[in-house]
Amino acid sequence: MTMVIPGDWSQLEPMLDAQWIAPAFDARAADAWQKRLAIVVPYRNRQAHLQLFVPYLQEYFRHDKLDRRIPYAIHVVEQADDLPFNRGQLANAAFRLIGDDADYLCIHDVDLMPLWADYAYPAHPARLCLHGRPVPENTQLYFGGVTALSMADYERINGFSNNYWGWGYEDHDLRLRTLSVGLRVEARDGRYNALHHAHNGFTGDGRLSPAGQRNRDRFGAELAAGFQGWRHDGVNSLRVEHLGTTPLQLGAQTWPQVRHHRIRLQT
Ligand code: UDP
Ligand code: MN
């Protein structure tokens, strides 16, 4: 099934509302905690956060009553060039590199530490984080931060757009991709502790940054054009260079179980 995405918000909003489903723990398949999870962390130049994130997440998965059963791996996907940051391309590159080694991906910001969360296999693309972010999110649309998708669903929506540079709107674009192909989305809506950083999306006086404005305009243009661009902008059109993969090393410390991929993007 494919859905027509209306260009105006008054028609789109009820469709976004209707797309959400509540997580149903009791209805889950018995193997929902046995599928292989790849946690994908798009990354560049946030070493202090990464140093906290890796041990924190490992401890979370050691102790959480349900999620401790999940066979997971952490993949740090570093953008190794001086272009503006591109979260979508890094996630797409990880999807390709991981291939058949995982059943599902969780695209995970490095600065979000799970307090109450749910990383089980997503029968539908799932929003894991809603609460605890410094800026309140639009609950109707928000699909960023920490998002889980099966490999099959990721492929079906052609992954992320490769065209959002700098900051913002690649997550809204991802959400509309799921809507376009008729997928429901699950609102797990966990609570996370957000680490502090200078914000790329807004200027000091609270206005959208130039990169944020560009990406907002790009997203608006996609919508106005009927939101068809995703078919040829994503995993199937990604052109990046994989510079190598090693165990993660941070200062003197090595994390043998954490994969560190270095990717050079192309404009
Ligand atoms: N990120 C990064 N380096 C950057 C920009 C972004 O590593 O220069 C990654 C990091 O994982 C971060 C995520 O992309 O958590 C989202 O970016 P950011 O935190 O700036 O956006 P926010 O969600 O806070 O608006
Ligand atoms: Mn952040």
Side-chain angles (χ1 to χ4, degrees):
M1 180 177 69
T2 56
M3 309 265 273
V4 176
I5 304 293
D8 84 64
W9 278 99
S10 62
Q11 286 173 50
L12 184 56
E13 284 187 324
M15 292 169 68
L16 292 170
D17 286 338
Q19 198 191 2
W20 289 114
I21 47 176
F25 290 111
D26 300 335
R28 275 192 187 152
D31 64 355
W33 289 273
Q34 268 126 49
K35 305 252 194 202
R36 297 160 304 158
L37 163 61
I39 294 178
V40 169
V41 186
Y43 174 80
R44 183 171 68 187
N45 193 25
R46 298 256 176 116
Q47 185 164 329
H49 286 181
L50 192 57
Q51 237 147 4
L52 294 169
F53 177 83
V54 168
Y56 187 101
L57 218 65
Q58 290 180 335
E59 198 170 301
Y60 172 87
F61 279 100
R62 257 197 308 278
H63 293 307
D64 188 83
K65 292 183 192 65
L66 293 169
D67 290 348
R68 59 178 308 190
R69 292 179 272 170
I70 299 172
Y72 76 97
I74 300 176
H75 296 259
V76 174
V77 194
E78 181 175 20
Q79 182 172 336
D81 58 47
D82 295 326
L83 293 166
F85 194 69
N86 191 317
R87 188 168 174 268
Q89 285 201 24
L90 293 171
N92 288 343
F95 170 82
R96 278 203 189 154
L97 286 170
I98 290 163
D100 294 331
D101 291 344
D103 300 304
Y104 63 118
L105 298 185
C106 177
I107 316 302
H108 208 305
D109 281 6
V110 72
D111 54 12
L112 293 172
M113 310 284 149
L115 297 171
W116 183 90
D118 174 3
Y119 288 87
Y121 179 78
H124 316 268
R127 168 171 82 188
L128 270 61
C129 168
L130 182 65
H131 305 292
R133 293 180 48 90
V135 184
E137 299 294 344
N138 173 342
T139 59
Q140 205 173 34
L141 186 59
Y142 184 63
F143 205 56
V146 187
T147 309
L149 303 97
S150 67
M151 295 303 268
D153 284 344
Y154 195 95
E155 177 137 48
R156 191 164 155 207
I157 64 173
N158 201 15
F160 280 85
S161 169
N162 299 312
N163 294 331
Y164 291 86
W165 297 93
W167 179 89
Y169 292 87
E170 83 292 342
D171 49 350
H172 294 346
D173 185 285
L174 186 78
R175 171 69 185 285
L176 290 197
R177 288 170 181 241
T178 65
L179 185 64
S180 287
V181 300
L183 285 166
R184 306 293 300 277
V185 284
E186 196 178 310
R188 295 188 181 173
D189 293 0
R191 177 168 292 277
Y192 284 68
N193 180 28
L195 302 179
H196 177 76
H197 59 82
H199 206 282
N200 301 327
F202 298 91
T203 56
D205 55 2
R207 281 186 318 203
L208 209 54
S209 66
Q213 285 178 31
R214 258 195 312 280
N215 289 348
R216 184 191 56 193
D217 293 347
R218 166 171 291 285
F219 180 66
E222 281 295 329
L223 256 183
F227 204 76
Q228 294 293 322
W230 64 271
R231 295 173 196 281
H232 49 80
D233 163 27
V235 171
N236 70 3
S237 64
L238 182 72
R239 289 163 56 246
V240 296
E241 195 182 341
H242 176 214
L243 301 180
T245 298
T246 51
L248 179 66
Q249 182 133 23
L250 289 172
Q253 207 170 9
T254 304
W255 301 92
Q257 323 87 317
V258 179
R259 314 291 288 157
H260 176 197
H261 312 277
R262 294 176 65 251
I263 307 290
R264 188 183 286 151
L265 306 187
Q266 287 176 25
T267 49

